[in-house]
Amino acid sequence: MTRPDLIVIGAGPAGMAGATMAAQQGMSVLVLDEQPAPGGQIFRNLGASSTQQRQMLGPDYTAGQMLLDGLAAAPLTLISGAVVWDVDQERTVTYSKDGKAYRVKANYLLLSTGAMERPVPLPGWTLPGVMTAGAAQILMKTSGLLAKDAVLAGSGPLLYLVAVQMLRAGTPPKALVETQTPANYRAVLHHAGGALRGWKALAKGARMLRELRRASAPRYTAARDLAITGDTAASGLRFTAKGQVHHLECATVLLHQGVVPNTQITRALRLDHQWHAGQRCFHPVLSPWGQSSHSQIYVAGDGAAIAGAKAAEHAGQCAAADILRCAGRITAAQRDTLAASAKRNLAGEQALRPFLDALYAPPAAILRPPDAVTVCRCEEVSAGDIRAYARLGCKGPSQTKAFGRAGMGPCQGRTCGLTVTEVLAQATGLSPQDTGYFKIRAPLKPVTLGEVAALHSPAPQQPEGQDP
Amino acid sequence: MFERIGHSATAQVRFTFNGETVIGNAGDSLAAALLAAGHKVFRDTPTTAAPRGPFCMMGSCFDCLVVVDGETVQACQTPAQVGLVVTSPPVPRAQP
Amino acid sequence: METEFAIIGGGIVGLSLAYGLLRRGKTVCVLDEGDGAFRASRGNFGLVWVQSKGLHQPAYAQWTRASARAYRGFSDEIKTISGSPLNLQQDGGYIIHMSEDSLDADRKLYEGLRSRLGGDYPFEVMGHNALKTEEPNIGPKVAGALYCKEDGHVNPLRLLRGLTVAVRHLGGTLRTGHKVTDITPQGAEFSITAEDAAPITAKKVVLAAGLGAMSLGPKLGFKAPIRPQQGQIIITEKLPKLMNRPNVEVRQVDEGGIQIGASSAEVGLNDREDVATIAGLAAHAVDMFPKLARAKMLRSWAALRIMSPDGLPIYQRSARHPGAYFVTCHSGITLAAAHAGVLGDWLTDAAEQPDVSAFGEDRFDV
Ligand SMILES: Cc1cc2nc3c(=O)[nH]c(=O)nc-3n(C[C@H](O)[C@H](O)[C@H](O)COP(=O)(O)OP(=O)(O)OC[C@H]3O[C@@H](n4cnc5c(N)ncnc54)[C@H](O)[C@@H]3O)c2cc1C
Ligand SMILES: Cc1cc2nc3c(=O)[nH]c(=O)nc-3n(C[C@H](O)[C@H](O)[C@H](O)COP(=O)(O)OP(=O)(O)OC[C@H]3O[C@@H](n4cnc5c(N)ncnc54)[C@H](O)[C@@H]3O)c2cc1C
Ligand code: FES
C-alpha cells in the first residue's frame, strides 16, 4: 500500500464505522488494531465466538456482526495484531506486529482507541485474584472462562451487565456490592434533559437487577470502606453497608467504577485536553465532528468522551464524513447529508450521558484514596506519597513523577494517571485542569530495543506506505 | 477460580510456566490459559517483590507480565502456543 | 517577604546553591515555576562524570574533579537529612569506542590534558579484551574504552528530591508554581516579582533559572549567552545486572533499568522525542551490548540542556548590580557538590574563595 489517505487506529465500533464510511467514499484507508480481530472492547472476539458464548453474552454483543460485516466488505486494509506505539505531529504512525516495527504516514488520522476501566484504588487491589469486571468479561468473550464464586464490587452499567452475563452462563456472582448511594439517585433527578432515555437505561438496569435477584445473588448497596483482604492473594472483601461491617470470603473480586477515555495517543500528540467534571476524566477538545486541535487528526468513540458503543459508531461516521469534507472530496452540504442520521443518533446517545454519569458517579474515596492505598501499581507509589510530594512543592504530575516514579512503569501511567491528578489537585487546591496530566511519550507500549534499532537507517529516510 | 464452559471440541495447546506443564485451549491468551489452570500469581514486582497476577486483561495495566523467549510480554495480549517456555520475570535487585 | 538570598530557579543548580548557603547560615528563598517548566534536572543522564571534561580548559577539568571528589560527602549529607540515599556509585566509568581510530584520537587528547596538568590526570586505555573481562556483555563491534576511575553516577531524581527536602529541612523557603517575571534592583537590594505571588525583597539574588535566564539575565546586566540543546534518552524495563560500571552512553540505573542516550540536536525550545532519533540511540546501544536487543524500551524523552557557547559553566557576578549572580552549567549533576560546597564561598564573599575567573561571561567577548 502506498501512503494511505486515512489511518484509523482502533477497530472498535467507532473505528469500524468510520473506516467503512471513508473507504466506501473512495478514500484509501488503513486500519490498525492491537487485538487479533476487529470488534473493540464490546465486540471482542465476536467473529470467532461459539454459540454458547453468544448466548451468554446476549444480543448487545451479537449486534456487532453488522459492523464486522461492513468492515469486511469495505475496500480497505485492516492489520490486526498491530500495536501502535508512536504517532507524531506529521501523522506518521509507528506500530509493531509480530516483533517487527513499521512506520506509515497518512494525510488524516482517526484515533478510535476507546476506553479503559477507571482505576479502582482501594486497599488490597493489587493482590492476585483482584481483577476488573471487564477483565472477567474478556475471559468470557475470548476463552469461555467463568469466574466462580466471585464478588462483583463497584458501580456502573457494565457491573450489572457482567453480573447478568455471569448469571446466564450459570455462574452467578457470589454477591453484588454496589457503591452507589441514595445521593446518586437524587442527583439524577436534576438531569431532566435525556431523562426519558435515562430512565429507559435505568429500567434496563432494573430488569437486570430483577434477573439477579431471582438468582438470589445477595446485593449490598451504598457500600463504603471497601478493602480486599488477604496476604499473598485475595481472600475476601470487607466493606460497610447500612452501618454494618461485612466480610465476604472469596478468592476472586471483580472491581468496576465505569470507564474513562484512553488518551495515551492524544496526550502523546499534545492535543488540547479538557477536564470533564461529570465523568471525572480528561478528554481531547474536539469540534462537533471530532476534529482535534490538530486539523488533520480526528478522535471518535469512547476515546473522545464516554458515550457508549452506539454513540461510538455514530461518532466514527461523523468524523469520517468531516474528514472527507476536509480532504475536499465532498462539500459541507454533502457531509451534512451523508452523516445526517449518524449526527442525530449521536446527539441522542450523548444526551443520556449526564444522567448516567450522575447515577454511577464514582465515590470520592476511589477518586482520591486514603494515604495508605497504592496508586501507581507499577512502581508501588501510594496516595500518601503523592500528598507528601505536594507538600514538598509539586504542583503537577510531571513533578511527582520525578520525585516518586508514579507513572514511570511499564503501563506508562495509564492506571495511575487520573488518580495522581485528583489526589494532587485535592492537596494543592488547584483544579484538575490546572494540575494537568502526565506527559505521555513514546513508546505508548513497550517495544524491544531490537525492534526500535531495526528502524534505524544511517541516512534517515522518509516514512512511506507501510512495508509488508 | 475460573471454570470453562464446555467447548471441548477446541484444540489444546501445551506449554510450560516456570517449568510446570499448562494445557490451554487454542485461542486462549497466555493469561487466560494460566488462570484456567489455576495460576493466580504470574510474577513478583521488581520494586517490593509483591505477588501479582492479571488485573485488566485488556493490555493496559501490565500486571500480567511474563517472559517468553527472553522477552517480557503481556500474558493477556500473547496467544498461548504449543511449546512456549513461559517464566516469571526475574526480580532485578533489592532496592535500598 | 525579605531574605538575604533569593535564588531564581529550583532545579539542581538552584537547589544545590541554596543548600550550600543554608549550611552557611544564610536565609534563602528559592523561587520556582510550575509543572510545565523546562527542567534539565528531571531529564538528564545522571552521570557524575570526569573524563573528557575540560580537554581544552584544564581549569574546568580540575573544577569537575573537585566536585567529583566532594560528592561522597555531599551525598551522605543529603541522605542523612532527607532519609533517602542518592545511590551514588563512584567506581569508575567508561567511554566505549567502536573504532580503534576514535579511541586513539581521544587517547591523544587525554594525554594532552594530562601533560598540561603535570601528569595528574588518571585514565586508562582498555582494548576489547580488557574491557570484556570487566564488562562481559559487550558486543564484538566494541573496539575498547577509555576508563577513568573518578567517574561515576547517581540517581538524579533522588538528588533533586533529596535537595528539595534538605532545603526545606534547613529552614529554606521554597516557593513553587510562581514564575518570576521581573527583578528590579532597588539601591543595594532587589525586588522580585512573580506571577500570582507577593513580591520578595532580597539583599542578593542568584539567577539559576536554567533556560529562564535567557530572558531574566539582561534585567540584571548579564548577557546570559545560553541556548537550549535537545537531548533524547531511552530507559528500558528493570533488568538483572547487565553492566558493572556506567558508560557515557549507556548505564544501568539503581532501579535496574538501562538508560541510553543522549542525543544532541539544535531544535530550539522543543522537547519532543522522535522515533528516528530513538532508533539511532537503540541501534548504537545494541551494538555496544547485544543482549539489549531483547530488552523492552519503556519510555523515551527529550530534555533541554542549558548550553553556553563553549559548553562550560558560567559563574558571573553582575558588574552593574554587585549583589546579583548568574550561575548556569550543562553538567549540573556532576557539579552539584561544588555548587553546594565551595561555590557558596564565592556567593558569600568569604575570605577564601574558589578561583572561578575562567568561568566569567567576559570570555565570550571578542
Ligand atoms: C474492558 C471493557 C469492556 C467493555 N464491555 C462492554 C460491553 O460489553 N458492552 C458495552 O456496551 N460496552 C462495553 N464497554 C464500553 C466500550 O468502551 C464501548 O462500548 C465501545 O466498545 C467503545 O467503542 P470504541 O470504538 O470507542 O472503542 P473500543 O471498542 O474500545 O475499541 C478500541 C480499539 O482500539 C484498539 N487500540 C487501543 N489502543 C491501541 C493501540 N495503541 N494500538 C492499536 N490498537 C489500539 C483496541 O485494541 C480496541 O480494539 C467496555 C469497555 C471496556 C474497557
Ligand atoms: C539530556 C540531558 C542529559 C544530561 N546528562 C547529564 C549528566 O549525565 N551529568 C550531568 O552532570 N549533567 C547532565 N545534564 C545537565 C544537567 O541536567 C543540567 O546541567 C542541570 O540539570 C541544570 O540544572 P538547572 O537547575 O540549571 O536547570 P533546570 O533543571 O532546567 O532548572 C531550571 C529551573 O528554573 C526554573 N525557572 C526558570 N525560569 C524561571 C522563572 N522565570 N521563574 C521561576 N523559576 C524559573 C524552572 O522552573 C526550573 O525548575 C544533562 C542534561 C540533559 C538535557
Ligand atoms: S492483565 Fe492488564 S495488561 Fe494484561
Side-chain angles (χ1 to χ4, degrees):
Chain A
M1 184 184 230
T2 50
R3 178 164 156 169
D5 297 322
L6 169 68
I7 298 174
V8 178
I9 305 176
M16 291 193 287
T20 303
M21 177 184 278
Q24 281 168 348
Q25 297 292 319
M27 276 194 145
S28 59
V29 180
L30 171 65
V31 184
L32 300 171
D33 191 284
E34 182 181 6
Q35 291 190 40
Q41 295 308 340
I42 175 164
F43 308 128
R44 181 184 283 269
N45 200 41
L46 176 59
S49 57
S50 68
T51 321
Q52 253 171 322
Q53 278 169 314
R54 285 168 174 248
Q55 266 161 12
M56 79 188 176
L57 293 165
D60 286 356
Y61 182 59
T62 46
Q65 194 59 49
M66 271 184 31
L67 278 169
L68 288 186
D69 294 345
L71 187 77
L76 51 73
T77 308
L78 163 71
I79 304 182
S80 289
V83 180
V84 173
W85 57 265
D86 186 59
V87 182
D88 71 19
Q89 292 288 300
E90 280 70 49
R91 304 169 315 284
T92 299
V93 175
T94 311
Y95 67 94
S96 285
K97 182 176 164 70
D98 299 331
K100 189 169 180 324
Y102 304 88
R103 306 200 76 198
V104 51
K105 181 173 173 155
N107 296 336
Y108 293 90
L109 300 182
L110 174 55
L111 310 177
S112 44
T113 52
M116 40 177 243
E117 286 175 275
R118 179 190 296 282
V120 192
L122 49 80
W125 74 307
T126 55
L127 286 169
V130 181
M131 300 176 91
T132 66
Q137 195 202 37
I138 289 171
L139 286 165
M140 290 190 242
K141 287 177 179 172
T142 58
S143 292
L145 279 182
L146 302 164
K148 272 187 71 178
D149 295 327
V151 171
L152 274 165
S155 165
L158 196 61
L159 192 74
Y160 296 139
L161 178 62
V162 173
V164 166
Q165 288 170 334
M166 288 168 70
L167 176 65
R168 285 183 197 148
T171 52
K174 185 168 182 176
L176 191 60
V177 179
E178 292 171 38
T179 54
Q180 276 156 272
T181 63
N184 292 115
Y185 290 98
R186 282 197 298 277
V188 301
L189 298 176
H190 298 298
H191 292 281
L196 190 62
R197 282 164 170 278
W199 289 115
K200 268 192 205 157
L202 206 58
K204 190 171 166 184
R207 266 200 308 281
M208 290 202 261
L209 282 175
R210 274 200 301 279
E211 220 177 314
L212 287 170
R213 207 168 300 134
R214 273 201 299 278
S216 65
R219 183 174 169 228
Y220 303 84
T221 54
R224 53 187 179 79
D225 304 333
L226 275 65
I228 318 281
T229 55
D231 254 348
T232 50
S235 62
L237 176 72
R238 196 180 48 228
F239 59 94
T240 307
K242 296 216 175 85
Q244 218 184 323
V245 179
H246 300 264
H247 183 256
L248 305 176
E249 273 180 35
C250 58
T252 309
V253 183
L254 304 174
L255 302 173
H256 185 75
Q257 287 290 345
V259 298
V260 294
N262 170 2
T263 56
Q264 295 296 112
I265 296 184
T266 54
R267 282 285 177 187
L269 279 161
R270 303 195 192 174
L271 303 177
D272 292 345
H273 286 73
Q274 204 180 329
W275 178 254
H276 190 309
Q279 298 189 343
R280 300 223 71 92
C281 60
F282 286 103
H283 62 89
V285 176
L286 303 172
S287 81
W289 295 94
Q291 189 178 38
S292 74
S293 51
H294 183 309
S295 64
Q296 284 155 285
I297 300 178
Y298 284 68
V299 190
D302 272 2
I306 302 305
K310 280 262 161 25
E313 180 182 340
H314 304 312
Q317 288 168 336
C318 289
D322 200 48
I323 289 169
L324 288 160
R325 177 203 58 84
C326 209
R329 287 173 179 262
I330 59 174
T331 64
Q334 285 168 320
R335 171 201 65 189
D336 294 348
T337 314
L338 184 65
S341 74
K343 196 114 191 91
R344 204 172 42 246
N345 292 332
L346 177 60
E349 292 291 330
Q350 284 169 338
L352 162 68
R353 271 299 135 177
F355 183 92
L356 295 179
D357 295 343
L359 183 59
Y360 298 116
I366 294 293
L367 298 172
R368 296 171 293 272
D371 281 355
V373 174
T374 299
V375 163
C376 168
R377 296 172 65 100
C378 296
E379 295 290 334
E380 301 179 69
V381 184
S382 71
D385 292 333
I386 302 293
R387 293 191 178 100
Y389 302 143
R391 287 193 293 277
L392 281 177
C394 294
K395 301 287 185 199
S398 296
Q399 285 163 305
T400 54
K401 187 176 181 177
F403 273 22
R405 300 187 59 83
M408 280 195 185
C411 93
Q412 272 99 332
R414 280 170 175 78
T415 314
C416 65
L418 289 173
T419 316
V420 169
T421 296
E422 290 256 17
V423 169
L424 262 177
Q426 179 194 38
T428 60
L430 294 171
S431 65
Q433 178 75 31
D434 288 341
T435 301
Y437 195 75
F438 291 136
K439 227 172 219 177
I440 303 302
R441 295 182 179 270
L444 297 162
K445 288 219 160 176
V447 278
T448 65
L449 284 174
E451 269 170 87
V452 183
L455 289 175
H456 175 63
S457 47
Q461 58 188 26
Q462 285 302 310
E464 352 153 3
Q466 120 246 18
D467 30 313
Chain B
M1 250 264 285
F2 289 87
E3 168 183 285
R4 224 182 267 271
I5 53 164
H7 39 321
S8 45
T10 320
Q12 293 195 327
V13 288
R14 186 186 284 259
F15 60 94
T16 63
F17 177 58
N18 292 336
E20 206 177 297
T21 301
V22 177
I23 299 171
N25 279 7
D28 281 351
S29 63
L30 282 177
L34 287 170
L35 285 171
H39 291 278
K40 257 188 206 172
V41 180
F42 284 25
R43 64 177 185 118
D44 295 334
T45 59
T47 311
T48 66
R52 288 286 169 87
F55 179 68
C56 74
M57 286 303 290
M58 62 171 282
S60 68
C61 76
F62 289 75
D63 265 324
C64 63
L65 295 176
V66 293
V67 175
V68 177
D69 196 14
E71 192 185 316
T72 312
V73 297
Q74 292 170 286
C76 71
Q77 301 297 99
T78 309
Q81 278 167 343
V82 177
L84 289 186
V85 178
V86 184
T87 55
S88 298
V91 177
R93 44 170 124 166
Q95 289 283 303
Chain C
M1 183 190 168
E2 291 205 20
T3 178
E4 280 174 276
F5 278 87
I7 298 187
I8 321 293
I12 289 291
V13 171
L15 290 170
S16 302
L17 297 172
Y19 175 76
L21 291 169
L22 287 161
R23 291 289 310 253
R24 288 170 171 79
K26 304 294 172 190
T27 59
V28 177
C29 176
V30 180
L31 303 161
D32 200 37
E33 279 188 81
D35 203 49
F38 291 117
R39 284 188 171 86
S41 301
R42 66 176 183 220
N44 64 77
F45 206 67
L47 297 173
V48 176
W49 208 249
V50 168
Q51 67 166 307
S52 83
K53 297 283 175 73
L55 286 176
H56 305 287
Q57 172 51 286
Y60 181 42
Q62 295 300 60
W63 181 242
T64 300
R65 293 176 69 194
S67 189
R69 271 197 303 274
Y71 227 97
R72 178 56 64 189
F74 166 66
S75 149
D76 287 347
E77 275 178 31
I78 301 296
K79 178 191 163 180
T80 308
I81 298 174
S82 71
S84 128
L86 308 185
N87 295 347
L88 173 70
Q89 182 194 331
Q90 281 185 304
D91 176 35
Y94 309 106
I95 296 187
I96 288 181
H97 285 261
M98 306 306 280
S99 84
E100 301 286 351
D101 288 353
S102 77
L103 183 62
D104 208 49
D106 274 13
R107 176 185 57 80
K108 287 194 182 113
L109 285 175
Y110 285 29
E111 278 166 358
L113 179 59
R114 178 184 275 172
S115 70
R116 288 177 77 179
L117 292 174
D120 171 29
Y121 188 69
F123 73 89
E124 280 168 45
V125 184
M126 297 174 89
H128 179 91
N129 293 338
L131 183 60
K132 185 110 184 159
T133 56
E134 294 293 319
E135 298 289 345
N137 292 311
I138 57 165
K141 290 189 197 167
V142 171
L146 285 159
Y147 167 78
C148 171
K149 65 178 186 196
E150 293 178 1
D151 289 332
H153 58 163
V154 71
N155 183 323
L157 299 180
R158 282 174 170 260
L159 173 62
L160 186 64
R161 188 184 66 196
L163 277 170
T164 305
V165 174
V167 162
R168 287 191 185 275
H169 180 85
L170 296 179
T173 306
L174 180 54
R175 230 173 56 174
T176 62
H178 303 286
K179 181 178 181 161
V180 171
T181 50
D182 206 6
I183 310 168
T184 338
Q186 285 174 345
E189 297 194 328
F190 298 87
S191 171
I192 299 159
T193 324
E195 280 171 2
D196 311 318
I200 286 176
T201 306
K203 292 202 177 69
K204 286 187 169 184
V205 58
V206 184
L207 186 56
L211 293 169
M214 289 194 289
S215 57
L216 290 175
K219 293 182 195 291
L220 295 169
F222 300 113
K223 293 188 246 356
I226 50 170
R227 68 176 199 281
Q229 185 194 62
Q230 193 204 57
Q232 296 186 29
I233 291 178
I234 291 173
I235 185 97
T236 70
E237 62 185 317
K238 294 169 182 161
L239 295 169
K241 204 172 185 67
L242 196 77
M243 45 194 83
N244 295 313
R245 295 197 177 93
N247 161 9
V248 82
E249 291 162 319
V250 54
R251 69 183 188 104
Q252 186 154 24
V253 306
D254 51 340
E255 292 104 357
I258 308 287
Q259 207 172 46
I260 301 160
S263 61
S264 47
E266 303 292 334
V267 290
L269 291 173
N270 169 357
D271 73 341
R272 287 174 196 259
E273 71 286 0
D274 64 89
V275 173
T277 303
I278 291 166
L281 293 175
H284 182 44
V286 170
D287 277 350
M288 288 189 284
F289 290 88
K291 278 193 178 166
L292 286 177
R294 310 291 287 162
K296 284 272 162 101
M297 159 166 108
L298 284 201
R299 205 168 57 251
S300 67
W301 65 89
L304 301 177
R305 299 184 182 90
I306 303 123
M307 277 305 226
S308 66
D310 60 4
L312 272 49
I314 300 176
Y315 304 135
Q316 180 69 50
R317 186 170 189 167
S318 173
R320 213 189 302 154
H321 310 287
Y325 296 79
F326 174 36
V327 176
T328 190
C329 69
H330 107 93
S331 39
I333 306 305
T334 305
L335 296 179
H339 292 167
V342 289
L343 203 65
D345 294 333
W346 173 65
L347 295 173
T348 52
D349 284 321
E352 235 178 280
Q353 289 183 32
D355 176 12
V356 295
S357 56
F359 305 116
E361 277 193 338
D362 48 8
R363 71 182 189 270
F364 305 115
D365 297 340
V366 264

